Amino acid sequence: MLRLQWLAAALLIGLFAVWTVTPWGVAVEESLGLESLFKLRGERPAPAGVIVLAVNRESAAALGLSTKLHEWSRQTHAQAVAALDRLGARLVVFDIFFEQAREPEGDEAFAEALRAADNVILFARSDRRQIDLGELGKAEQHTLQQPYAPFADAARATAPLILPKIPARVSRFFLWHPQLSRHPTLPSMAYQLIDNDVAQSSVWQQHGPGRLYNFYGPPHAIPTISYAQLLTTPDQVAASVRDAVVFVGFSALDQPDQRDGFYTAFTDQSGLDISGVELAATAFANLQDDSWLRPSPWYLNLILSVAYGLGCFVIARRLAPIPGAIAVVVVLVIGSALILYCFSEWFWWLPWFNVVLLQTPLAAGLGIWLRSRELQTQKTVLKSAFGKYLPSDELDRLLQQQALPATREMHDSLCLVTDAEGYSRLSEQLAPVELSGLMQDYYAAVIEPIRQGGGLISDVAGDGVIALWPHIDRDARWTQVAPVVRALLASVDQFNQLHPGRTLPIRIGLHAGEIVLGHFGAADHYEFRAMGDLVNTTARLESANKQIGTRILISEACVNESTADLRDLGRFRFAGKDNPLRLYTLAHDTAFELLERFAVALRLFETGKWWQAAEHFAQLSAAYPDDGPCAFYARHFSESRRRDQLLPSWEQGIACLLKK
């Protein structure tokens, strides 16, 4: 069963690990895990030498231009290129598509500025259209639309920027056009012009799904200057522009003016997305400082997911539920910290959402559940086994605290002690195997009625049983225990009928008082038992049955004035004890005349009319020779007559001095 559990857990964890490396799992990780890692890491400084020149409404107002930013005169852009050239910009990259001619003077000025600077890359638009192939269906055709020819001829180069057509989550950038593989993208072209050697690299020539952005922060994390700042106060931005790669495009400080915003992990609460030109600048900056994110290979992610899941499962399966949960949380925190460190310091993207955040509750939850089931099964087995030796409440407490000895508690309790008459004789006559079988049946006859009556078995020794009723109601002690006593007597009588020649008549003592209940012992041996005078006195009561000639003796502590089914036997004092006890026995099988005459004789004795009482008891003993209490009193009065004096206790109205 245990091996099957481990195999099932390994299979479940393995299936989940396989899912994490499928396109669906990777999409979830890239959407949720990557975004979470960016937020946990926070902002990081952008590299020097990369800035954004923003086209925005603030500049339009400052320069007296149209608020329709795409309608600005090319003369303004010519002035910007010239200013950047004078300030020593290393490269200028336009993320603005100059599709067609406008006013001749502005167009000519802009073309001249491009030729003079000789360091400008212009944006080329990537177009896609459906082609009907007739019976063959439809196909997509991708073309690259160059900017206005005079501008394209005057520029250093042209290149597209491949981004979603509508606002959407952006996580990757391309070095090459995905469909037109011979054409590098804007950031890629800019980087090749800065570093001529990179164009010859075999790694650079490889095409793939794109590289992962390593964002620097929220919008405008890349240093940004405006057209107005460049054209009106060039000296203030000179230090930023010198030797920098300048990306020019629409970049607003508020959402209504954002023309091409894209959702990223750093989109702020106001909803301002990062602009397309800043995405181009970010891609170039990643290439420049070699900080673009390196995703771990799929096979490593698979191994990591399986190893982490099995680790969490083993921890949760081996430890108890609460320590196991704490240990798993510690592993989760350490794993998250390591992944975040690799992400922040080494730009290495390891799966976090799928492997840690989802795998932890799956694997650990499975382990904790199986461990809890195992512990519950163990508890059930222990309760089933040790429930025959300990009360269920005490066993529950021991299982919860997992320590010995348990707390000892004071109880106001009723105690019942039994003894089997004739046990010594049978133990001599029977072989041990026969005796053990007989006693097993006897114990079943005694213990079952006690258990059904709510009694707690404190001890079983030889032929005797000690039972307790802790916290019993003082005013209803006999009412609660009377049905148990009757059932016990009936059960033993049935046992004796089933074992003729090997009968074990029962004697019972009942007393009530305070006890301490708990585990007593030392070193590696403890026993659950009751301590106090209550148990000793109850045992004395049980033993006194032999002298008084009864089957059951009940102390006055167990009865109240309304009790009608008991026979008052008088007050008795035990050897070694100062306080006498009034004792009772069952009256249901005693003749009514005997009960009345016995009560009269007992009143005579307790009121000091000893010799009159003696005559009554003598007559009762003669009339009812099988009645034990009558014979007991008659015998003791007879002994007193021979000594011609009463025992001291008899003079005090106490029936007799019982031996142990």
Side-chain angles (χ1 to χ4, degrees):
M1 182 64 179
L2 184 61
R3 181 177 297 178
L4 183 61
Q5 290 180 358
W6 282 92
L7 289 175
L11 178 61
L12 183 61
I13 292 170
L15 289 175
F16 181 83
V18 170
W19 174 83
T20 63
V21 299
T22 63
W24 302 281
V26 172
V28 170
E29 184 65 44
E30 187 170 320
S31 174
L32 300 176
L34 187 58
E35 180 174 335
S36 299
L37 288 174
F38 276 123
K39 290 181 178 179
L40 289 172
R41 186 207 67 188
E43 299 181 36
R44 70 185 185 98
V50 183
I51 65 172
V52 170
L53 177 59
V55 176
N56 51 38
R57 288 189 300 175
E58 287 76 9
S59 293
L63 298 174
L65 301 174
S66 171
T67 56
K68 296 181 179 180
L69 305 181
H70 62 281
E71 295 181 354
W72 280 11
S73 170
R74 301 323 177 24
Q75 184 72 44
T76 304
H77 297 304
Q79 294 173 2
V81 170
L84 293 172
D85 187 37
R86 287 194 304 272
L87 296 176
R90 190 175 185 185
L91 194 66
V92 180
V93 182
F94 272 88
D95 183 33
I96 300 174
F97 186 48
F98 301 102
E99 183 175 3
Q100 57 191 3
R102 285 193 188 164
E103 71 282 7
E105 292 182 1
D107 289 352
E108 184 177 347
F110 185 49
E112 181 59 31
L114 294 176
R115 278 191 294 270
D118 194 29
N119 66 348
V120 179
I121 304 175
L122 294 182
F123 174 79
R125 187 170 67 191
S126 177
D127 287 336
R128 179 182 61 182
R129 67 189 184 92
Q130 295 281 343
I131 300 177
D132 190 355
L133 301 178
E135 295 181 356
L136 297 178
K138 294 182 179 181
E140 283 189 349
Q141 182 183 34
H142 293 267
T143 59
L144 203 61
Q145 184 177 350
Q146 296 294 338
Y148 180 49
F151 300 159
D153 294 338
R156 179 77 175 271
T158 63
L161 179 62
I162 309 301
L163 292 172
K165 296 294 184 182
I166 58 174
R169 181 188 302 274
V170 175
S171 58
R172 296 175 182 269
F173 63 91
F174 296 95
L175 297 179
W176 303 89
H177 193 294
Q179 285 76 32
L180 306 173
S181 58
R182 294 179 300 172
H183 296 276
T185 60
L186 270 179
S188 175
M189 176 64 77
Y191 190 61
Q192 290 184 58
L193 293 178
I194 294 298
D195 187 351
N196 293 326
D197 295 335
V198 74
Q200 308 303 321
S201 170
S202 60
V203 176
W204 189 262
Q205 296 297 330
Q206 292 178 0
H207 297 265
R211 302 195 178 185
L212 286 166
Y213 274 108
N214 191 354
F215 295 107
Y216 298 96
H220 300 283
I222 300 291
T224 302
I225 63 174
S226 68
Y227 260 62
Q229 289 175 300
L230 175 66
L231 298 180
T232 60
T233 57
D235 294 341
Q236 295 181 7
V237 299
S240 300
V241 172
R242 187 174 295 110
D243 293 327
V245 176
V246 182
F247 285 80
V248 185
F250 302 102
S251 182
L253 296 175
D254 52 25
Q255 189 64 37
D257 203 23
Q258 186 69 277
R259 291 174 58 87
D260 58 348
F262 297 89
Y263 179 84
T264 70
F266 289 102
T267 296
D268 60 24
Q269 294 181 351
S270 67
L272 182 63
D273 296 323
I274 193 169
S275 63
V277 66
E278 190 169 359
L279 286 174
T282 301
F284 174 83
N286 284 174
L287 294 172
Q288 179 177 269
D289 63 5
D290 197 32
S291 66
W292 47 275
L293 295 177
R294 278 76 168 174
S296 57
W298 69 269
Y299 56 85
L300 181 60
N301 292 346
L302 182 65
I303 294 172
L304 180 63
S305 181
V306 171
Y308 181 85
L310 288 177
C312 288
F313 174 77
V314 170
I315 291 173
R317 184 68 178 79
R318 293 294 187 186
L319 299 179
I322 294 179
I326 294 174
V328 167
V329 170
V330 171
V331 170
L332 183 149
V333 172
I334 293 175
S336 299
L338 289 175
I339 291 175
L340 184 60
Y341 180 82
C342 293
F343 182 83
S344 304
E345 300 299 325
W346 298 342
F347 315 128
W348 188 19
W349 176 38
L350 293 168
W352 176 76
F353 185 82
N354 288 340
V355 172
V356 176
L357 213 59
L358 293 185
Q359 183 85 298
T360 298
L362 173 67
L366 180 61
I368 291 174
W369 178 69
L370 290 175
R371 178 63 172 166
S372 299
R373 282 194 60 192
E374 181 184 50
L375 291 177
Q376 189 60 42
T377 301
Q378 291 176 353
K379 286 183 178 182
T380 302
V381 172
L382 285 174
K383 290 181 72 172
S384 177
F386 288 94
K388 299 178 176 64
Y389 303 91
L390 291 174
S392 58
D393 292 344
E394 183 64 21
L395 188 56
D396 287 337
R397 184 169 64 173
L398 291 177
L399 290 173
Q400 291 174 4
Q401 67 184 35
Q402 298 179 350
L404 280 174
T407 304
R408 296 165 184 166
E409 297 181 349
M410 179 75 74
H411 294 272
D412 187 82
S413 178
L414 185 145
C415 180
L416 179 148
V417 175
T418 72
D419 181 68
E421 182 181 346
Y423 172 76
S424 298
R425 171 181 53 82
L426 287 177
S427 64
E428 292 180 355
Q429 297 175 354
L430 300 178
V433 174
E434 292 180 293
L435 181 64
S436 64
L438 180 68
M439 293 307 298
Q440 186 65 33
D441 294 341
Y442 174 78
Y443 288 138
V446 173
I447 293 175
E448 186 63 26
I450 295 175
R451 281 283 180 86
Q452 291 182 354
L456 184 157
I457 304 300
S458 173
D459 195 11
V460 177
D463 58 337
V465 174
I466 300 175
L468 300 168
W469 279 262
H471 301 303
I472 194 168
D473 186 0
R474 292 192 178 200
D475 296 330
R477 287 169 175 167
W478 175 246
T479 303
Q480 291 187 32
V481 82
V484 180
V485 171
R486 296 189 182 94
L488 176 58
L489 293 173
S491 179
V492 174
D493 287 343
Q494 184 179 13
F495 164 83
N496 289 329
Q497 293 174 8
L498 296 174
H499 299 82
R502 298 180 178 181
T503 59
L504 291 170
I506 193 171
R507 293 191 295 260
I508 300 172
L510 279 171
H511 187 41
E514 289 188 344
I515 58 165
V516 173
L517 194 62
H519 295 265
F520 296 89
D524 59 350
H525 181 78
Y526 281 80
E527 290 187 5
F528 183 77
R529 60 175 58 249
M531 287 288 185
D533 181 66
L534 171 64
V535 178
N536 178 58
T537 301
T538 309
R540 295 280 197 93
L541 284 175
E542 179 277 315
S543 180
N545 280 293
K546 291 183 289 185
Q547 299 182 49
I548 301 177
T550 52
R551 293 183 66 186
I552 177 170
L553 286 177
I554 306 159
S555 75
E556 59 186 321
C558 300
V559 302
N560 53 49
E561 295 180 356
S562 61
T563 303
D565 57 344
L566 297 180
R567 175 183 178 184
D568 186 358
L569 300 180
R571 294 191 299 159
F572 295 79
R573 178 183 289 134
F574 296 96
K577 293 185 175 292
D578 296 327
N579 298 321
L581 284 175
R582 182 170 295 278
L583 303 183
Y584 298 82
T585 191
L586 295 178
H588 66 280
D589 57 352
T590 305
F592 180 74
E593 181 184 359
L594 170 59
L595 292 176
E596 284 191 330
R597 293 178 61 184
F598 184 88
V600 171
L602 188 60
R603 279 198 304 272
L604 291 172
F605 169 65
E606 291 183 343
T607 56
K609 301 175 182 179
W610 304 300
W611 303 120
Q612 290 178 316
E615 292 297 331
H616 279 71
F617 281 123
Q619 294 173 5
L620 282 171
S621 179
Y624 301 96
D626 295 330
D627 185 68
C630 292
F632 169 81
Y633 276 102
R635 183 170 60 254
H636 280 277
F637 273 112
S638 176
E639 292 177 357
S640 298
R641 284 181 182 276
R642 286 198 299 270
R643 291 193 300 269
D644 199 25
Q645 63 179 2
L646 289 172
L647 294 175
S649 60
W650 288 63
E651 295 177 354
Q652 300 170 15
I654 301 173
C656 66
L657 184 67
L658 294 175
K659 298 179 181 179
K660 292 185 180 180

